[in-house]
Amino acid sequence: MTDKDKWTDVLGFSDLGTEDREETIAEVKSLIEELGDKYPEVFEERAITPQEYNRELVDAIHSLDGTYKQSRGVDSEDIVRDKLLDPAQDDGKLTYVDQRDDERIDFKGRLKVTEETFAMDIKGGEGQSIGHLLVPTNTDILVFWMERNSMNTKAPDSRLNEIINRVVRWGINHDENPSYIINHDEPAGATTSDGHVIPDVIVFPEQFPSPTNPDPDMPSLDDLTFPEVVYDVLIGNDDLHDEEILKHIWWHELHYLDEDGGKVGKSIYNAYDKEITLGTRAIDFERISEVT
């Protein structure tokens, strides 16, 4: 079995990067671009001419793009509130506050069993706008939730990998310690037998590496209290040792490397099958220097 087969046949992802899908998307794009020239009859009962369509096409596409992106962002936060946080709070698993109108983090709260505090920011795609975040100083668990709804033509590993790098870079630059990235991928994620999307959880070390702590410890499965709540609420299974869940937990090791001015080495592998990995490479260890 090839590595690509493992992503679909073992882990259960859908591959959106197939040639057939790419061809379909190319046809749709061609139709949009050529509609005014090749199919003028479409405009016979419209208030615009083919020439007006061609002239305004680019601006209309940009306007739609902005509308879609804005709606995805708002929808993502509401989805997480409605599907995860409200049910978990009603079931006594946590308490939370919606901070979207008041602070630079979407949600913060506390797990009931462990009394750990959490802060969570929600993104609708690749985590492109995380630079503005302000994290409460008493946060025990820092979570980045990616609510995916884009159907870009990418294979499962590329689709998962693209959400990680910005969070790692942000954590290093800002001297913060993200605990998890949770990737809830409706279009391409694996599903349970009854159709519920299984989120993928990327687990970081207990602290991000630094020159004084080059090899931070990774948590154990039994330490993953927040993901346990997530899986229990979303798919009705809180056994992190169950292979259904193990297939969607990813260990993301980080190490400070004293070379070339300081590097951060990365290794990302699946908890169920360590041979299933995400390609990555070392990045520069960079923080804003003090004034001299």
Side-chain angles (χ1 to χ4, degrees):
M1 182 179 293
T2 66
D3 289 341
K4 187 173 183 179
D5 290 336
K6 286 185 177 181
W7 283 87
T8 54
D9 297 342
V10 176
L11 302 185
F13 289 95
S14 295
D15 189 348
L16 301 183
T18 63
E19 290 184 7
D20 286 347
R21 186 164 184 271
E22 290 180 357
E23 291 173 1
T24 299
I25 291 175
E27 285 292 327
V28 171
K29 291 166 64 177
S30 176
L31 177 61
I32 292 171
E33 291 177 335
E34 298 174 352
L35 188 63
D37 295 327
K38 290 190 173 182
Y39 306 98
E41 65 274 12
V42 171
F43 299 90
E44 291 177 358
E45 298 183 4
R46 296 285 180 175
I48 63 171
T49 65
Q51 293 75 23
E52 289 172 322
Y53 174 87
N54 289 337
R55 186 173 63 245
E56 304 297 344
L57 177 59
V58 173
D59 286 343
I61 289 174
H62 284 310
S63 178
L64 282 172
D65 183 55
T67 300
Y68 291 150
K69 286 180 178 177
Q70 183 179 21
S71 66
R72 284 171 181 172
V74 173
D75 290 344
S76 297
E77 294 155 353
D78 292 342
I79 287 170
V80 175
R81 179 197 63 199
D82 297 343
K83 289 190 175 182
L84 172 68
L85 294 173
D86 281 349
Q89 182 164 259
D90 292 344
D91 202 30
K93 300 181 186 302
L94 55 78
T95 58
Y96 84 95
V97 178
D98 187 335
Q99 295 292 149
R100 284 179 283 175
D101 295 330
D102 303 311
E103 297 184 6
R104 294 187 185 179
I105 194 82
D106 290 327
F107 302 105
K108 62 184 182 182
R110 188 181 298 271
L111 297 180
K112 278 293 186 70
V113 173
T114 63
E115 288 296 311
E116 293 171 293
T117 59
F118 68 87
M120 182 163 60
D121 203 63
I122 315 301
K123 299 302 170 192
E126 300 170 20
Q128 295 180 357
S129 56
I130 62 176
H132 71 287
L133 293 184
L134 293 177
V135 182
T137 56
N138 67 333
T139 299
D140 296 317
I141 302 169
L142 176 56
V143 181
F144 289 88
W145 184 289
M146 307 299 180
E147 185 66 30
R148 309 298 300 279
N149 45 34
S150 170
M151 294 187 65
N152 55 25
T153 52
K154 292 185 177 179
D157 54 339
S158 297
R159 192 172 170 85
L160 184 59
N161 212 3
E162 69 184 356
I163 69 171
I164 298 173
N165 293 331
R166 287 188 179 90
V167 172
V168 173
R169 168 54 61 198
W170 177 86
I172 292 170
N173 287 353
H174 293 266
D175 197 15
E176 294 282 2
N177 299 295
S179 306
Y180 312 109
I181 297 174
I182 298 179
N183 187 52
H184 189 252
D185 192 344
E186 286 277 357
T191 59
T192 63
S193 58
D194 54 356
H196 294 293
V197 175
I198 306 172
D200 284 82
V201 177
I202 294 90
V203 182
F204 293 111
E206 294 174 355
Q207 289 187 318
F208 267 35
S210 67
T212 57
N213 184 20
D215 300 302
D217 292 333
M218 292 292 293
S220 69
L221 276 176
D222 295 331
D223 295 327
L224 308 187
T225 49
F226 193 88
E228 184 176 314
V229 170
V230 170
Y231 285 118
D232 189 15
V233 172
L234 294 189
I235 68 170
N237 184 357
D238 65 356
D239 182 4
L240 301 187
H241 296 269
D242 188 312
E243 70 173 43
E244 178 180 56
I245 293 177
L246 275 179
K247 290 177 180 179
H248 299 283
I249 293 177
W250 301 83
W251 302 114
H252 192 316
E253 295 184 359
L254 295 167
H255 304 277
Y256 177 79
L257 308 174
D258 189 12
E259 58 186 49
D260 298 328
K263 295 280 189 181
V264 176
K266 302 185 292 179
S267 176
I268 312 170
Y269 53 93
N270 186 259
Y272 174 76
D273 183 348
K274 293 183 179 180
E275 298 301 314
I276 304 177
T277 62
L278 287 172
T280 188
R281 61 182 180 179
I283 60 174
D284 292 332
F285 181 86
E286 296 176 335
R287 287 184 181 159
I288 298 174
S289 61
E290 295 182 357
V291 176
T292 58

PDB file of all heavy atoms in Angstrom, residues 25 38 52 65 77 81 84 88 91 106-107 113 119-120 129 149 151 159 163-164 171 175 219 233 240 243 255 270 281:
ATOM      1  N   ILE A  25     -13.094  21.540 -12.170  1.00  0.00           N
ATOM      2  CA  ILE A  25     -12.924  22.932 -11.757  1.00  0.00           C
ATOM      3  C   ILE A  25     -12.427  23.782 -12.916  1.00  0.00           C
ATOM      4  O   ILE A  25     -12.864  24.929 -13.109  1.00  0.00           O
ATOM      5  CB  ILE A  25     -11.967  23.012 -10.555  1.00  0.00           C
ATOM      6  CG1 ILE A  25     -12.640  22.415  -9.317  1.00  0.00           C
ATOM      7  CG2 ILE A  25     -11.537  24.456 -10.290  1.00  0.00           C
ATOM      8  CD1 ILE A  25     -11.757  22.343  -8.105  1.00  0.00           C
ATOM      9  N   LYS A  38     -19.160  33.034 -25.710  1.00  0.00           N
ATOM     10  CA  LYS A  38     -19.601  31.795 -26.346  1.00  0.00           C
ATOM     11  C   LYS A  38     -21.088  31.499 -26.179  1.00  0.00           C
ATOM     12  O   LYS A  38     -21.659  30.717 -26.941  1.00  0.00           O
ATOM     13  CB  LYS A  38     -18.781  30.618 -25.813  1.00  0.00           C
ATOM     14  CG  LYS A  38     -17.331  30.634 -26.275  1.00  0.00           C
ATOM     15  CD  LYS A  38     -16.639  29.321 -25.917  1.00  0.00           C
ATOM     16  CE  LYS A  38     -15.234  29.248 -26.514  1.00  0.00           C
ATOM     17  NZ  LYS A  38     -14.567  27.968 -26.232  1.00  0.00           N
ATOM     18  N   GLU A  52     -21.301  43.865 -21.225  1.00  0.00           N
ATOM     19  CA  GLU A  52     -21.274  44.355 -19.836  1.00  0.00           C
ATOM     20  C   GLU A  52     -20.816  43.252 -18.890  1.00  0.00           C
ATOM     21  O   GLU A  52     -20.098  43.518 -17.915  1.00  0.00           O
ATOM     22  CB  GLU A  52     -22.671  44.847 -19.446  1.00  0.00           C
ATOM     23  CG  GLU A  52     -23.067  46.142 -20.133  1.00  0.00           C
ATOM     24  CD  GLU A  52     -24.526  46.499 -19.882  1.00  0.00           C
ATOM     25  OE1 GLU A  52     -25.377  45.567 -19.854  1.00  0.00           O
ATOM     26  OE2 GLU A  52     -24.813  47.691 -19.721  1.00  0.00           O
ATOM     27  N   ASP A  65     -15.666  36.754  -3.862  1.00  0.00           N
ATOM     28  CA  ASP A  65     -14.609  36.155  -3.055  1.00  0.00           C
ATOM     29  C   ASP A  65     -14.597  36.741  -1.651  1.00  0.00           C
ATOM     30  O   ASP A  65     -14.500  36.023  -0.657  1.00  0.00           O
ATOM     31  CB  ASP A  65     -13.263  36.365  -3.745  1.00  0.00           C
ATOM     32  CG  ASP A  65     -12.123  35.701  -2.998  1.00  0.00           C
ATOM     33  OD1 ASP A  65     -12.195  34.489  -2.737  1.00  0.00           O
ATOM     34  OD2 ASP A  65     -11.146  36.402  -2.662  1.00  0.00           O
ATOM     35  N   GLU A  77     -17.003  30.489  13.556  1.00  0.00           N
ATOM     36  CA  GLU A  77     -17.099  30.733  14.995  1.00  0.00           C
ATOM     37  C   GLU A  77     -18.433  30.241  15.535  1.00  0.00           C
ATOM     38  O   GLU A  77     -18.501  29.625  16.610  1.00  0.00           O
ATOM     39  CB  GLU A  77     -16.907  32.227  15.263  1.00  0.00           C
ATOM     40  CG  GLU A  77     -15.510  32.710  14.926  1.00  0.00           C
ATOM     41  CD  GLU A  77     -15.466  34.191  14.596  1.00  0.00           C
ATOM     42  OE1 GLU A  77     -16.543  34.815  14.498  1.00  0.00           O
ATOM     43  OE2 GLU A  77     -14.356  34.713  14.407  1.00  0.00           O
ATOM     44  N   ARG A  81     -19.191  27.203  18.295  1.00  0.00           N
ATOM     45  CA  ARG A  81     -20.021  27.484  19.475  1.00  0.00           C
ATOM     46  C   ARG A  81     -21.209  26.529  19.556  1.00  0.00           C
ATOM     47  O   ARG A  81     -21.483  25.939  20.619  1.00  0.00           O
ATOM     48  CB  ARG A  81     -20.513  28.930  19.407  1.00  0.00           C
ATOM     49  CG  ARG A  81     -21.412  29.359  20.583  1.00  0.00           C
ATOM     50  CD  ARG A  81     -22.175  30.616  20.217  1.00  0.00           C
ATOM     51  NE  ARG A  81     -23.066  30.375  19.083  1.00  0.00           N
ATOM     52  CZ  ARG A  81     -23.571  31.353  18.321  1.00  0.00           C
ATOM     53  NH1 ARG A  81     -23.251  32.611  18.554  1.00  0.00           N
ATOM     54  NH2 ARG A  81     -24.391  31.051  17.322  1.00  0.00           N
ATOM     55  N   LEU A  84     -19.886  22.477  19.458  1.00  0.00           N
ATOM     56  CA  LEU A  84     -18.968  21.996  20.496  1.00  0.00           C
ATOM     57  C   LEU A  84     -19.209  22.648  21.843  1.00  0.00           C
ATOM     58  O   LEU A  84     -19.511  21.975  22.827  1.00  0.00           O
ATOM     59  CB  LEU A  84     -17.520  22.227  20.066  1.00  0.00           C
ATOM     60  CG  LEU A  84     -16.475  21.929  21.160  1.00  0.00           C
ATOM     61  CD1 LEU A  84     -16.425  20.435  21.462  1.00  0.00           C
ATOM     62  CD2 LEU A  84     -15.105  22.451  20.753  1.00  0.00           C
ATOM     63  N   ALA A  88     -21.090  21.011  25.110  1.00  0.00           N
ATOM     64  CA  ALA A  88     -20.156  20.623  26.174  1.00  0.00           C
ATOM     65  C   ALA A  88     -20.490  21.327  27.477  1.00  0.00           C
ATOM     66  O   ALA A  88     -20.393  20.735  28.561  1.00  0.00           O
ATOM     67  CB  ALA A  88     -18.723  20.940  25.743  1.00  0.00           C
ATOM     68  N   ASP A  91     -23.573  19.811  29.021  1.00  0.00           N
ATOM     69  CA  ASP A  91     -23.290  18.482  29.573  1.00  0.00           C
ATOM     70  C   ASP A  91     -22.358  18.547  30.780  1.00  0.00           C
ATOM     71  O   ASP A  91     -21.952  17.502  31.300  1.00  0.00           O
ATOM     72  CB  ASP A  91     -22.663  17.602  28.479  1.00  0.00           C
ATOM     73  CG  ASP A  91     -22.823  16.130  28.766  1.00  0.00           C
ATOM     74  OD1 ASP A  91     -23.824  15.743  29.417  1.00  0.00           O
ATOM     75  OD2 ASP A  91     -21.941  15.340  28.364  1.00  0.00           O
ATOM     76  N   ASP A 106     -11.304  34.433  20.514  1.00  0.00           N
ATOM     77  CA  ASP A 106     -12.731  34.184  20.298  1.00  0.00           C
ATOM     78  C   ASP A 106     -13.442  33.649  21.531  1.00  0.00           C
ATOM     79  O   ASP A 106     -14.496  34.145  21.916  1.00  0.00           O
ATOM     80  CB  ASP A 106     -12.906  33.215  19.128  1.00  0.00           C
ATOM     81  CG  ASP A 106     -12.546  33.849  17.792  1.00  0.00           C
ATOM     82  OD1 ASP A 106     -12.770  35.062  17.632  1.00  0.00           O
ATOM     83  OD2 ASP A 106     -12.017  33.124  16.921  1.00  0.00           O
ATOM     84  N   PHE A 107     -12.873  32.606  22.132  1.00  0.00           N
ATOM     85  CA  PHE A 107     -13.527  31.974  23.272  1.00  0.00           C
ATOM     86  C   PHE A 107     -12.487  31.671  24.353  1.00  0.00           C
ATOM     87  O   PHE A 107     -11.331  31.361  24.055  1.00  0.00           O
ATOM     88  CB  PHE A 107     -14.193  30.652  22.855  1.00  0.00           C
ATOM     89  CG  PHE A 107     -15.210  30.792  21.768  1.00  0.00           C
ATOM     90  CD1 PHE A 107     -14.916  30.398  20.469  1.00  0.00           C
ATOM     91  CD2 PHE A 107     -16.465  31.306  22.033  1.00  0.00           C
ATOM     92  CE1 PHE A 107     -15.847  30.527  19.455  1.00  0.00           C
ATOM     93  CE2 PHE A 107     -17.413  31.433  21.029  1.00  0.00           C
ATOM     94  CZ  PHE A 107     -17.101  31.049  19.733  1.00  0.00           C
ATOM     95  N   VAL A 113     -13.499  19.041  34.782  1.00  0.00           N
ATOM     96  CA  VAL A 113     -12.850  17.947  35.511  1.00  0.00           C
ATOM     97  C   VAL A 113     -11.484  18.355  36.038  1.00  0.00           C
ATOM     98  O   VAL A 113     -11.147  18.100  37.197  1.00  0.00           O
ATOM     99  CB  VAL A 113     -12.732  16.696  34.610  1.00  0.00           C
ATOM    100  CG1 VAL A 113     -11.909  15.619  35.304  1.00  0.00           C
ATOM    101  CG2 VAL A 113     -14.120  16.161  34.270  1.00  0.00           C
ATOM    102  N   ALA A 119      -8.066  28.886  26.080  1.00  0.00           N
ATOM    103  CA  ALA A 119      -8.381  29.986  25.166  1.00  0.00           C
ATOM    104  C   ALA A 119      -8.378  29.394  23.765  1.00  0.00           C
ATOM    105  O   ALA A 119      -7.516  28.579  23.428  1.00  0.00           O
ATOM    106  CB  ALA A 119      -7.365  31.112  25.287  1.00  0.00           C
ATOM    107  N   MET A 120      -9.343  29.808  22.935  1.00  0.00           N
ATOM    108  CA  MET A 120      -9.478  29.192  21.621  1.00  0.00           C
ATOM    109  C   MET A 120      -9.800  30.256  20.576  1.00  0.00           C
ATOM    110  O   MET A 120     -10.691  31.082  20.771  1.00  0.00           O
ATOM    111  CB  MET A 120     -10.571  28.125  21.651  1.00  0.00           C
ATOM    112  CG  MET A 120     -10.756  27.388  20.337  1.00  0.00           C
ATOM    113  SD  MET A 120     -11.669  25.838  20.494  1.00  0.00           S
ATOM    114  CE  MET A 120     -13.225  26.404  21.143  1.00  0.00           C
ATOM    115  N   SER A 129      -4.805  34.873   9.727  1.00  0.00           N
ATOM    116  CA  SER A 129      -4.921  36.132  10.471  1.00  0.00           C
ATOM    117  C   SER A 129      -4.788  35.905  11.966  1.00  0.00           C
ATOM    118  O   SER A 129      -5.667  36.270  12.740  1.00  0.00           O
ATOM    119  CB  SER A 129      -6.265  36.799  10.160  1.00  0.00           C
ATOM    120  OG  SER A 129      -7.337  35.927  10.450  1.00  0.00           O
ATOM    121  N   ASN A 149     -13.882  24.681   5.134  1.00  0.00           N
ATOM    122  CA  ASN A 149     -15.003  24.517   4.207  1.00  0.00           C
ATOM    123  C   ASN A 149     -14.577  24.721   2.763  1.00  0.00           C
ATOM    124  O   ASN A 149     -15.367  24.557   1.860  1.00  0.00           O
ATOM    125  CB  ASN A 149     -16.169  25.455   4.557  1.00  0.00           C
ATOM    126  CG  ASN A 149     -15.693  26.867   4.875  1.00  0.00           C
ATOM    127  OD1 ASN A 149     -14.717  27.335   4.283  1.00  0.00           O
ATOM    128  ND2 ASN A 149     -16.358  27.514   5.815  1.00  0.00           N
ATOM    129  N   MET A 151     -12.851  23.717  -0.685  1.00  0.00           N
ATOM    130  CA  MET A 151     -12.624  22.459  -1.387  1.00  0.00           C
ATOM    131  C   MET A 151     -11.504  22.633  -2.402  1.00  0.00           C
ATOM    132  O   MET A 151     -11.650  22.331  -3.590  1.00  0.00           O
ATOM    133  CB  MET A 151     -13.908  21.975  -2.057  1.00  0.00           C
ATOM    134  CG  MET A 151     -14.987  21.591  -1.057  1.00  0.00           C
ATOM    135  SD  MET A 151     -16.431  20.830  -1.810  1.00  0.00           S
ATOM    136  CE  MET A 151     -15.734  19.307  -2.446  1.00  0.00           C
ATOM    137  N   ARG A 159      -3.376  19.294   2.430  1.00  0.00           N
ATOM    138  CA  ARG A 159      -4.495  20.043   3.024  1.00  0.00           C
ATOM    139  C   ARG A 159      -4.318  20.179   4.540  1.00  0.00           C
ATOM    140  O   ARG A 159      -4.622  21.229   5.113  1.00  0.00           O
ATOM    141  CB  ARG A 159      -5.794  19.320   2.691  1.00  0.00           C
ATOM    142  CG  ARG A 159      -7.048  20.091   2.986  1.00  0.00           C
ATOM    143  CD  ARG A 159      -8.250  19.355   2.423  1.00  0.00           C
ATOM    144  NE  ARG A 159      -9.489  19.937   2.886  1.00  0.00           N
ATOM    145  CZ  ARG A 159     -10.106  20.972   2.322  1.00  0.00           C
ATOM    146  NH1 ARG A 159      -9.570  21.542   1.264  1.00  0.00           N
ATOM    147  NH2 ARG A 159     -11.245  21.437   2.795  1.00  0.00           N
ATOM    148  N   ILE A 163      -2.169  24.139   7.300  1.00  0.00           N
ATOM    149  CA  ILE A 163      -2.701  24.908   8.424  1.00  0.00           C
ATOM    150  C   ILE A 163      -1.713  25.022   9.583  1.00  0.00           C
ATOM    151  O   ILE A 163      -1.943  25.785  10.521  1.00  0.00           O
ATOM    152  CB  ILE A 163      -4.006  24.282   8.960  1.00  0.00           C
ATOM    153  CG1 ILE A 163      -3.716  22.943   9.646  1.00  0.00           C
ATOM    154  CG2 ILE A 163      -5.023  24.116   7.848  1.00  0.00           C
ATOM    155  CD1 ILE A 163      -4.889  22.357  10.376  1.00  0.00           C
ATOM    156  N   ILE A 164      -0.612  24.275   9.536  1.00  0.00           N
ATOM    157  CA  ILE A 164       0.250  24.145  10.711  1.00  0.00           C
ATOM    158  C   ILE A 164       1.328  25.220  10.795  1.00  0.00           C
ATOM    159  O   ILE A 164       1.598  25.773  11.863  1.00  0.00           O
ATOM    160  CB  ILE A 164       0.891  22.742  10.736  1.00  0.00           C
ATOM    161  CG1 ILE A 164      -0.192  21.662  10.852  1.00  0.00           C
ATOM    162  CG2 ILE A 164       1.897  22.617  11.864  1.00  0.00           C
ATOM    163  CD1 ILE A 164       0.335  20.248  10.728  1.00  0.00           C
ATOM    164  N   GLY A 171       3.786  31.016  17.338  1.00  0.00           N
ATOM    165  CA  GLY A 171       4.165  30.641  18.688  1.00  0.00           C
ATOM    166  C   GLY A 171       5.606  30.989  19.008  1.00  0.00           C
ATOM    167  O   GLY A 171       5.910  31.493  20.091  1.00  0.00           O
ATOM    168  N   ASP A 175       6.573  34.025  21.595  1.00  0.00           N
ATOM    169  CA  ASP A 175       6.891  33.356  22.852  1.00  0.00           C
ATOM    170  C   ASP A 175       5.626  32.806  23.526  1.00  0.00           C
ATOM    171  O   ASP A 175       5.422  32.947  24.726  1.00  0.00           O
ATOM    172  CB  ASP A 175       7.629  34.308  23.797  1.00  0.00           C
ATOM    173  CG  ASP A 175       8.333  33.563  24.937  1.00  0.00           C
ATOM    174  OD1 ASP A 175       8.482  32.329  24.835  1.00  0.00           O
ATOM    175  OD2 ASP A 175       8.729  34.215  25.922  1.00  0.00           O
ATOM    176  N   PRO A 219       3.261  15.746  25.565  1.00  0.00           N
ATOM    177  CA  PRO A 219       2.267  15.160  26.468  1.00  0.00           C
ATOM    178  C   PRO A 219       1.975  13.715  26.069  1.00  0.00           C
ATOM    179  O   PRO A 219       2.296  13.285  24.956  1.00  0.00           O
ATOM    180  CB  PRO A 219       1.040  16.053  26.266  1.00  0.00           C
ATOM    181  CG  PRO A 219       1.207  16.609  24.888  1.00  0.00           C
ATOM    182  CD  PRO A 219       2.686  16.756  24.670  1.00  0.00           C
ATOM    183  N   VAL A 233     -17.917  15.056  22.399  1.00  0.00           N
ATOM    184  CA  VAL A 233     -19.068  15.851  21.969  1.00  0.00           C
ATOM    185  C   VAL A 233     -19.356  15.658  20.478  1.00  0.00           C
ATOM    186  O   VAL A 233     -20.511  15.508  20.071  1.00  0.00           O
ATOM    187  CB  VAL A 233     -18.831  17.343  22.282  1.00  0.00           C
ATOM    188  CG1 VAL A 233     -19.935  18.205  21.672  1.00  0.00           C
ATOM    189  CG2 VAL A 233     -18.765  17.568  23.787  1.00  0.00           C
ATOM    190  N   LEU A 240      -9.373   8.014  23.752  1.00  0.00           N
ATOM    191  CA  LEU A 240      -8.294   8.443  22.873  1.00  0.00           C
ATOM    192  C   LEU A 240      -7.403   7.288  22.432  1.00  0.00           C
ATOM    193  O   LEU A 240      -6.605   7.451  21.507  1.00  0.00           O
ATOM    194  CB  LEU A 240      -7.449   9.524  23.557  1.00  0.00           C
ATOM    195  CG  LEU A 240      -8.183  10.800  23.976  1.00  0.00           C
ATOM    196  CD1 LEU A 240      -7.184  11.844  24.482  1.00  0.00           C
ATOM    197  CD2 LEU A 240      -9.015  11.369  22.845  1.00  0.00           C
ATOM    198  N   GLU A 243      -8.697   3.202  18.003  1.00  0.00           N
ATOM    199  CA  GLU A 243      -8.035   3.475  16.730  1.00  0.00           C
ATOM    200  C   GLU A 243      -8.807   4.486  15.890  1.00  0.00           C
ATOM    201  O   GLU A 243      -8.213   5.211  15.084  1.00  0.00           O
ATOM    202  CB  GLU A 243      -7.807   2.189  15.939  1.00  0.00           C
ATOM    203  CG  GLU A 243      -9.022   1.522  15.371  1.00  0.00           C
ATOM    204  CD  GLU A 243      -8.640   0.344  14.471  1.00  0.00           C
ATOM    205  OE1 GLU A 243      -7.732  -0.440  14.834  1.00  0.00           O
ATOM    206  OE2 GLU A 243      -9.266   0.215  13.405  1.00  0.00           O
ATOM    207  N   HIS A 255      12.114  20.934  18.331  1.00  0.00           N
ATOM    208  CA  HIS A 255      13.405  20.940  19.013  1.00  0.00           C
ATOM    209  C   HIS A 255      14.206  22.164  18.584  1.00  0.00           C
ATOM    210  O   HIS A 255      14.232  22.503  17.394  1.00  0.00           O
ATOM    211  CB  HIS A 255      14.203  19.673  18.676  1.00  0.00           C
ATOM    212  CG  HIS A 255      13.482  18.393  18.988  1.00  0.00           C
ATOM    213  ND1 HIS A 255      13.463  17.835  20.239  1.00  0.00           N
ATOM    214  CD2 HIS A 255      12.733  17.578  18.191  1.00  0.00           C
ATOM    215  CE1 HIS A 255      12.743  16.719  20.213  1.00  0.00           C
ATOM    216  NE2 HIS A 255      12.286  16.554  18.981  1.00  0.00           N
ATOM    217  N   ASN A 270       1.754  10.417  12.747  1.00  0.00           N
ATOM    218  CA  ASN A 270       0.442   9.965  13.173  1.00  0.00           C
ATOM    219  C   ASN A 270       0.542   9.066  14.410  1.00  0.00           C
ATOM    220  O   ASN A 270       1.434   8.236  14.515  1.00  0.00           O
ATOM    221  CB  ASN A 270      -0.222   9.217  12.018  1.00  0.00           C
ATOM    222  CG  ASN A 270      -1.646   8.826  12.300  1.00  0.00           C
ATOM    223  OD1 ASN A 270      -1.932   7.686  12.639  1.00  0.00           O
ATOM    224  ND2 ASN A 270      -2.562   9.772  12.172  1.00  0.00           N
ATOM    225  N   ARG A 281      10.164  20.929   7.478  1.00  0.00           N
ATOM    226  CA  ARG A 281      11.584  21.250   7.525  1.00  0.00           C
ATOM    227  C   ARG A 281      11.847  22.253   8.639  1.00  0.00           C
ATOM    228  O   ARG A 281      10.925  22.927   9.122  1.00  0.00           O
ATOM    229  CB  ARG A 281      12.060  21.816   6.190  1.00  0.00           C
ATOM    230  CG  ARG A 281      11.370  23.109   5.779  1.00  0.00           C
ATOM    231  CD  ARG A 281      11.855  23.574   4.424  1.00  0.00           C
ATOM    232  NE  ARG A 281      11.195  24.813   4.015  1.00  0.00           N
ATOM    233  CZ  ARG A 281      11.447  25.451   2.881  1.00  0.00           C
ATOM    234  NH1 ARG A 281      12.331  24.946   2.037  1.00  0.00           N
ATOM    235  NH2 ARG A 281      10.811  26.570   2.584  1.00  0.00           N
TER     236      ARG A 281
END
